[in-house]
Amino acid sequence: MAFNGPISEVFPTPQDADRSTVSHVQKGFKISARKLPISKSGPIDEMSNSLGIPVPEMIFGDNMVSIEHLATGWRMEFNAYDALDRVDKTDKNMLKVAYSQEWSSSREKTHEGIKEVVKPFDWSYTSDYKGTVTHGKGFELQKDNSDPIPLELLKRPEPILFFEEVVLYESELDDNGISLFSCKLRVMSDRMLLLCRLFMRLDNVLIRIRDTRIYVDFVLRQVIRDYTEKEDTFDNVKKHLLFSGKPPNDLTIALRDPNQIVPLLPEVSHTLESITIS
């Protein structure tokens, strides 16, 4: 489907979810991903009304990633609405920079037909969303972090049986950076890893990364959730990139790549949770 096609072009609707969802079943677990075009104005307004905040410019309201254990019905998913519902809806964590009020006002005008959306909120769309358990028991905190994700097993050169990458929302922060929430998964024979990442870069101010890793051992029926928050000032990240030997001409590209940035950011918070499905 061409996004630059005629206005009369018919876009997929939520009713097309079944044929727009791809799935893979591996040892009793069903892993699914759905990718549809950017939401249209009607669903966007409904979502903004329900959330109580303007949504990002690029919202993929029908996209999702899910993991389901078929025998027990245990299921968790990642979706745009629940991710945005974790954005701070007060001015408590709102970034205080020179153009924040101007940016907020511009977004309010965009949604001026929506009532009660003109209150302060974290306009950087930073979310601590870790996924939604839609059926079955929730995760339990590992107080001593005794059972982390087995990285050595993930480093094995195993065939990837299923791979998907799904964007939930994106904002260019009024051309002052980016806030992007996306999910990437890979499934191997005995295990899988799902990485959902919030990458927020506010130019000349701050860079944040919020990573949620979901590791599933299909044989043991164990699910581990690893959540990490990292952030640093924009200037510090630029200095680290230069000190690492990055040529000045390559800085712009590096600052747009979270994979290059994440090793440079200090850890702010880390939690480890797990469940065994039975």
Side-chain angles (χ1 to χ4, degrees):
M1 174 173 296
F3 286 95
N4 59 350
I7 295 177
S8 60
E9 184 175 9
V10 178
F11 281 77
T13 66
Q15 285 69 37
D16 300 312
D18 288 342
R19 60 188 178 91
S20 300
T21 302
V22 292
S23 299
H24 177 84
V25 177
Q26 188 69 19
K27 297 186 176 178
F29 285 83
K30 182 179 180 181
I31 301 95
S32 303
R34 182 168 65 235
K35 292 188 284 189
L36 285 167
I38 294 173
S39 298
K40 295 187 286 186
S41 59
I44 286 176
D45 290 348
E46 291 177 6
M47 184 179 291
S48 293
N49 269 319
S50 180
L51 290 169
I53 60 174
V55 299
E57 306 98 282
M58 290 169 277
I59 178 74
F60 299 86
D62 299 313
N63 286 5
M64 71 89 193
V65 173
S66 68
I67 304 170
E68 180 182 2
H69 185 249
L70 296 175
T72 63
W74 182 90
R75 182 180 182 276
M76 78 173 300
E77 74 171 53
F78 286 80
N79 63 75
Y81 183 93
D82 289 348
L84 288 169
D85 201 29
R86 295 294 303 174
V87 171
D88 184 20
K89 300 171 187 176
T90 70
D91 59 358
K92 180 180 177 182
N93 296 314
M94 187 171 65
L95 294 174
K96 303 296 194 293
V97 294
Y99 47 80
S100 63
Q101 185 58 47
E102 179 182 350
W103 186 91
S104 297
S105 297
S106 71
R107 298 299 293 149
E108 289 164 6
K109 290 178 182 177
T110 302
H111 298 267
E112 57 187 3
I114 304 173
K115 297 180 180 179
E116 298 179 0
V117 180
V118 291
K119 57 186 180 181
F121 71 103
D122 181 5
W123 52 272
S124 74
Y125 294 111
T126 298
S127 175
D128 62 354
Y129 182 52
K130 305 173 188 176
T132 307
V133 176
T134 61
H135 188 272
K137 60 183 179 180
F139 288 87
E140 295 183 0
L141 184 66
Q142 291 187 23
K143 295 182 180 179
D144 55 358
N145 292 343
S146 60
D147 197 9
I149 292 176
L151 298 179
E152 292 304 315
L153 293 180
L154 291 171
K155 291 178 181 177
R156 291 179 177 178
E158 299 182 66
I160 296 177
L161 306 177
F162 184 60
F163 174 87
E164 283 294 335
E165 186 168 5
V166 178
V167 175
L168 298 184
Y169 66 78
E170 181 177 353
S171 172
E172 294 182 351
L173 305 181
D174 204 26
D175 295 325
N176 289 296
I178 188 173
S179 186
L180 172 67
F181 201 108
S182 61
C183 301
K184 184 184 296 186
L185 65 88
R186 57 186 172 105
V187 178
M188 287 74 72
S189 176
D190 292 333
R191 60 192 60 85
M192 69 163 288
L193 181 68
L194 166 65
L195 169 62
C196 287
R197 168 170 287 172
L198 182 282
F199 173 51
M200 195 285 292
R201 187 195 74 244
L202 184 57
D203 293 338
N204 301 312
V205 181
L206 186 71
I207 297 180
R208 287 174 173 161
I209 290 182
R210 305 285 186 262
D211 281 346
T212 300
R213 289 177 172 82
I214 305 294
Y215 171 83
V216 183
D217 185 309
F218 299 135
V219 178
L220 299 178
R221 295 185 179 181
Q222 183 186 40
V223 185
I224 301 174
R225 179 163 66 181
D226 185 304
Y227 175 73
T228 306
E229 297 184 354
K230 292 186 172 185
E231 69 179 57
D232 204 350
T233 65
F234 188 87
D235 286 342
N236 278 347
V237 175
K238 284 183 64 176
K239 290 177 183 177
H240 287 312
L241 286 170
L242 288 171
F243 290 157
S244 69
K246 188 72 63 179
N249 292 338
D250 291 346
L251 281 182
T252 300
I253 296 175
L255 287 167
R256 294 174 178 172
D257 183 359
N259 291 323
Q260 294 191 51
I261 293 174
V262 68
L264 307 176
L265 299 179
E267 185 177 290
V268 176
S269 176
H270 177 239
T271 58
L272 199 60
E273 302 166 285
S274 59
I275 56 171
T276 299
I277 301 171
S278 58

